[in-house]
Amino acid sequence: MPAEAKADSKNARPAPGAGTPAVPSGTAHTRPHSISHPASPPLTERQEARRRRILHASAQLASRGGFDAVQMREVAESSQVALGTLYRYFPSKVHLLVATMQDQLEHMHGTLRKKPPAGDTAAERVAETLMRAFRALQREPHLADAMVRALTFADRSVSPEVDQVSRQTTVIILDAMGLDDPTPAQLSAVRVIEHTWHSALITWLSGRASIAQVKIDIETVCRLIDLTDPDDR
C-alpha cells in the first residue's frame, strides 16, 4: 500500500454515522430499498452540501493527478472545510476515493436513465450499459485509476463504502435487465458480471487489455443472464 494510504489509515477518525456495521454477506447485492440499515441521523442540508464539496474536490484532484494527487489536506483546502472535519466525514483517503466512486456511479446511473440501453435482450442491454459506463471512466483515466486503486487497497474498515459501490453497480445492472425482483440465480449472475467488469477496468488501466478485448469480455459474461432467465426454463 502506498505511504499516503498508510498515513491516512493511521490518522483515521470516526466519520459521521461511523460504527454502522458492514452489510452481511449475501445481502450486499440486493436492491437498496430492500436493505434494512441501522438507524442513523440523516445529514442536514448544510452537512450534505459540505459532503458534496468534498467529493467534488476529491474527483477534481484525482482527475488531474490520480491517486497520489489526492492529499487530504489539499482536499480540505479545496472544499473549504477544516482538516479535522474532512476526517470526520472520511477517515482516510481510501474511504474518500471509494465514496467518490460510488458518487460517480450514481451520476452515471442518472445519465443512463435519461437514455436507456436499446438492446433487444437483457444481456445486450446490460453489456451496452456497462460499456457506456466504461467509456465514461475511459474519458477520465486518472480518476478511474485512483478509484480502482482505492477499491484494491480497501480493508474491512472500508466495507460500508465498498458495499455502497457494489449496491450502485447492482442497481445499474438490474435496471438494464428491467428487473425489480431478481431471483437468487440472477443475483449470482449479476455478481459475476460485477467482478468481470471490475477486473476489466483493472486490466485496461494497467495496459494489459484493449477496449476491444474489454467489450468482448463484457459481452461474454453478460450471456450468463440468459442462462438464469426463469422464462427460458
Side-chain angles (χ1 to χ4, degrees):
M1 180 182 296
E4 172 69 14
K6 290 182 179 179
D8 284 339
S9 296
K10 291 179 181 179
N11 292 327
R13 295 177 174 84
T20 301
V23 174
S25 176
T27 63
H29 297 275
T30 55
R31 302 283 280 189
H33 57 69
S34 67
I35 298 171
S36 176
H37 296 287
S40 59
L43 295 180
T44 65
E45 185 176 338
R46 184 176 179 182
Q47 289 172 329
E48 181 59 32
R50 184 182 297 132
R51 184 177 185 276
R52 297 230 52 84
R53 292 201 309 272
I54 292 170
L55 291 173
H56 178 73
S58 169
Q60 289 293 309
L61 289 168
S63 294
R64 292 198 290 266
F67 186 89
D68 293 335
V70 182
Q71 303 292 327
M72 296 297 272
R73 189 172 297 280
E74 289 188 33
V75 173
E77 291 174 358
S78 181
S79 56
Q80 298 180 319
V81 301
L83 185 59
T85 300
L86 171 59
Y87 276 113
R88 285 198 296 274
Y89 279 79
F90 301 102
S92 74
K93 179 166 80 173
V94 171
H95 286 79
L96 173 58
L97 282 169
V98 173
T100 301
M101 184 166 194
Q102 191 278 332
D103 188 58
Q104 292 293 309
L105 286 172
E106 188 173 337
H107 282 296
M108 285 183 201
H109 191 200
T111 300
L112 290 165
R113 278 180 163 171
K114 293 177 182 176
K115 188 179 179 182
D120 293 329
T121 67
E124 290 174 351
R125 292 193 299 273
V126 172
E128 179 186 337
T129 293
L130 292 180
M131 285 308 300
R132 283 169 61 185
F134 189 91
R135 291 189 181 97
L137 292 171
Q138 184 187 7
R139 290 192 288 271
E140 296 282 359
H142 292 306
L143 174 59
D145 181 67
M147 296 186 300
V148 170
R149 285 177 66 181
L151 278 176
T152 303
F153 297 146
D155 58 21
R156 288 185 179 181
S157 72
V158 198
S159 289
E161 289 81 5
V162 172
D163 285 343
Q164 287 292 336
V165 169
S166 180
R167 290 189 192 102
Q168 189 65 55
T169 308
T170 296
V171 170
I172 290 172
I173 294 173
L174 291 178
D175 275 1
M177 292 171 67
L179 287 179
D180 289 320
D181 188 21
T183 66
Q186 287 169 329
L187 285 175
S188 291
V190 169
R191 281 193 291 272
V192 175
I193 291 168
E194 283 186 43
H195 295 328
T196 302
W197 187 67
H198 182 225
S199 177
L201 276 175
I202 292 173
T203 54
W204 172 73
L205 286 166
S206 63
R208 293 182 287 119
S210 64
I211 298 298
Q213 186 60 56
V214 168
K215 186 174 186 293
I216 291 171
D217 291 348
I218 294 298
E219 290 176 345
T220 299
V221 74
C222 285
R223 291 177 191 145
L224 284 174
I225 294 170
D226 296 333
L227 300 178
T228 61
D229 188 346
D231 295 334
D232 291 342
R233 296 181 183 178

